[in-house]
Amino acid sequence: MDNAMMIGLSRQMTLRRSMDVVANNIANANTAGFKVESLLLENRAAPTAEHADGPTDVQFVNTWGMGRDFGQGELAFTGREFDLAIEGDGFFAVDANGQEQYSRDGRFRLDAAGQLVAADGSPVIDGDTRGPILIDSTAGNIEVVNGGTIMQNGQQVGRIGVFDIANRAEMSKQGNGRYTIPPSNDPADQPLASLDPTVRQGFIEQSNVQSILELTDMMSVMRSYQSVSKFLEQAEDLSKRAIERLGRI
């Protein structure tokens, strides 16, 4: 296949992936704790089609990875007792079938057994015991004070776990706004419970997606895709005319 065609097709493939990422950002603009994502690209050299002269390789565009902006989203007041938001760095942790997963989504509730759980029923992890948080809903109102400590009738009944993750680049997305980290024997790579996090009760953290910027990016991707499509049509037309002229010689 012609080098120009290959370069154009490689660009179209990355533009389609970029469109998927932008569309996902827009779809999650109202998802609590969602962090905006962007596609990271790289140049990749590859041999050219066979020719008598010219460069020995060309540069194709290729997907390199996914970037995430973990910047703070706005805190929205809900007034609900078990809606919690982290102000600053850190992640809540839940036990999802024996696996620790991390999230900024603090829409919690009590299940029938009195465990503090996420929306899907995964237990929220205590920052001190690294176990579940049990609360007697009939024993009085709950107050979450500085450091994430859960108080009930003047007694501490648990502490919301807020964990610091040193290398966020290694976090893998699991869906539902959650992430995991790869296992490691290095203690420095393990999430550590924050000693004095700022946890706001009655608030949830909104998505940090800026819809106007995402719509602008979507239009830019569409224009780029149309431009590459036109380039490919012109390259194909040029090839056809070259073949027709050679046929008349």
Side-chain angles (χ1 to χ4, degrees):
M1 185 180 290
D2 184 81
N3 294 322
M5 297 284 285
M6 289 290 290
I7 293 173
L9 288 173
S10 71
R11 179 57 178 148
Q12 280 191 325
M13 290 173 63
T14 57
L15 285 170
R16 288 190 63 180
R17 296 187 186 120
S18 294
M19 180 63 77
D20 290 341
V21 173
V22 172
N24 185 62
N25 288 337
I26 294 174
N28 286 281
N30 294 319
T31 300
F34 181 82
K35 300 304 176 185
V36 67
E37 299 175 333
S38 59
L39 194 66
L40 303 179
L41 304 176
E42 65 175 352
N43 289 336
R44 177 169 294 181
T48 63
E50 186 175 349
H51 55 72
D53 56 8
T56 58
D57 60 39
V58 291
Q59 298 291 325
F60 296 91
V61 63
N62 189 56
T63 301
W64 179 73
M66 185 72 70
R68 296 187 182 92
D69 179 4
F70 285 102
Q72 175 88 49
E74 291 187 10
L75 303 188
F77 177 74
T78 66
R80 290 190 288 267
E81 190 174 35
F82 295 109
D83 278 351
L84 304 174
I86 301 170
E87 191 169 0
D89 293 334
F91 296 85
F92 298 116
V94 299
D95 182 355
N97 298 319
Q99 182 186 46
E100 281 193 7
Q101 296 184 350
Y102 305 92
S103 174
R104 296 280 296 194
D105 185 356
R107 295 174 296 178
F108 302 141
R109 61 181 176 83
L110 289 184
D111 66 7
Q115 284 190 116
L116 187 65
V117 298
D120 67 344
S122 298
V124 179
I125 294 176
D126 189 291
D128 293 328
T129 66
R130 213 73 175 223
I133 299 174
L134 298 175
I135 297 174
D136 183 358
S137 60
T138 65
N141 293 332
I142 295 296
E143 182 181 7
V144 180
V145 299
N146 290 338
T149 301
I150 304 172
M151 304 296 293
Q152 188 175 39
N153 296 326
Q155 300 293 321
Q156 179 177 344
V157 296
R159 188 166 77 90
I160 299 295
V162 177
F163 296 86
D164 294 323
I165 298 176
N167 191 356
R168 297 180 181 178
E170 294 185 355
M171 298 176 71
S172 299
K173 189 175 180 179
Q174 300 299 314
N176 296 322
R178 294 183 190 169
Y179 306 90
T180 58
I181 60 172
S184 173
N185 294 324
D186 187 350
D189 294 332
Q190 299 301 314
L192 298 176
S194 300
L195 298 178
D196 191 25
T198 301
V199 179
R200 302 283 299 276
Q201 185 179 17
F203 289 82
I204 59 171
E205 181 182 358
Q206 296 181 317
S207 164
N208 66 354
V209 173
Q210 299 184 49
S211 297
I212 298 299
L213 293 180
E214 296 303 314
L215 289 172
T216 301
D217 287 345
M218 178 175 284
M219 290 187 289
S220 177
V221 171
M222 291 175 62
R223 285 195 296 267
S224 295
Y225 194 91
Q226 292 169 351
S227 177
V228 175
S229 296
K230 185 176 181 181
F231 164 77
L232 291 175
E233 291 174 359
Q234 292 173 341
E236 183 180 9
D237 184 60
L238 182 62
S239 296
K240 287 180 179 179
R241 284 186 290 168
I243 294 172
E244 290 174 355
R245 290 183 181 180
L246 286 173
R248 291 196 295 265
I249 296 177

